[in-house]
């Protein structure tokens, strides 16, 4: 089933933010917004829920810390204990101050690398995926707001979007 959407192009990020607020106040549905760079405050203007990526980063850091502690305990205490600089290798707790840098580094390593994979999966950016950008100018200097026509009058919506400062408007049949 094909639905109709309107692509409104803007040339300024402040103009886009104001237009998003006006479109939301008028109770129109915004499908997607394409920008050449992150626009501060756009997520709040669109009414998007806060992201939970920080929680996953914390959990990945905990996993990294656990792996580091288990690895250091096995390598330096259980498997091959060595007397380095006169420090005894009897327990993990006694040697923990010397393990702190390694545990810190693996915590950051796990959090950073697993967050990259999480971001790619969440954004559906698979290897060799074809770009879904509706207008190539949005990678350079334009901002595109996709507004769902739905049960609204397309002519009225087009006029409304021109009044918000859109420089170009196209009616698109989306499949």
């Amino acid at each position: 089933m094909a639905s109709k959407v309107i692509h409104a192009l803007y040339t300024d990020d402040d103009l886009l933010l104001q237009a998003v607020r006006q479109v939301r106040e008028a109770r129109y549905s915004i499908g997607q917004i394409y920008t050449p760079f992150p626009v501060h405050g756009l997520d709040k203007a669109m009414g998007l829920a806060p992201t939970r990526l920080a929680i996953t980063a914390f959990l990945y850091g905990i996993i990294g810390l656990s792996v580091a502690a288990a690895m250091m305990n096995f390598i330096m205490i259980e498997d091959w204990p060595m007397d380095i600089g006169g420090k005894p290798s009897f327990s993990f707790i006694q040697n923990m101050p010397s393990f702190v840098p390694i545990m810190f580094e693996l915590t950051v390593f796990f959090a950073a690398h697993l967050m990259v994979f999480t971001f790619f999966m969440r954004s559906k950016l698979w290897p060799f995926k074809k770009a879904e950008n509706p207008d190539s100018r949005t990678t350079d200097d334009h901002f595109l707001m996709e507004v769902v026509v739905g049960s609204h009058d397309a002519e009225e919506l087009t006029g409304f979007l021109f009044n918000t400062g859109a420089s170009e408007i196209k009616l698109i049949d989306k499949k």
Side-chain angles (χ1 to χ4, degrees), residues 56-77:
T56 59
F58 178 74
L59 294 175
Y60 294 153
I62 294 294
I63 291 169
L65 182 66
S66 302
V67 167
M71 182 183 76
M72 292 285 94
N73 185 49
F74 178 75
I75 292 171
M76 297 299 291
I77 306 300

Side-chain angles (χ1 to χ4, degrees), residues 64-66 68-69 71-73 76 87 92-109:
L65 182 66
S66 302
M71 182 183 76
M72 292 285 94
N73 185 49
M76 297 299 291
K87 295 179 183 177
F92 180 78
I93 298 297
Q94 287 177 332
N95 291 322
M96 188 150 50
S98 61
F99 296 159
V100 167
I102 296 167
M103 291 190 300
F104 171 76
E105 291 298 330
L106 280 178
T107 299
V108 173
F109 180 85

Side-chain angles (χ1 to χ4, degrees), residues 8-45:
L9 275 167
Y10 295 88
T11 56
D12 185 43
D13 57 338
D14 293 328
L15 193 60
L16 173 74
L17 271 174
Q18 185 61 32
V20 167
R21 290 185 185 105
Q22 291 174 358
V23 167
R24 287 209 18 144
E25 285 174 10
R27 303 272 188 225
Y28 292 117
S29 176
I30 298 174
Q32 189 67 264
I33 295 182
Y34 300 89
T35 63
F37 54 83
V39 177
H40 181 68
L42 186 60
D43 51 346
K44 289 182 182 178

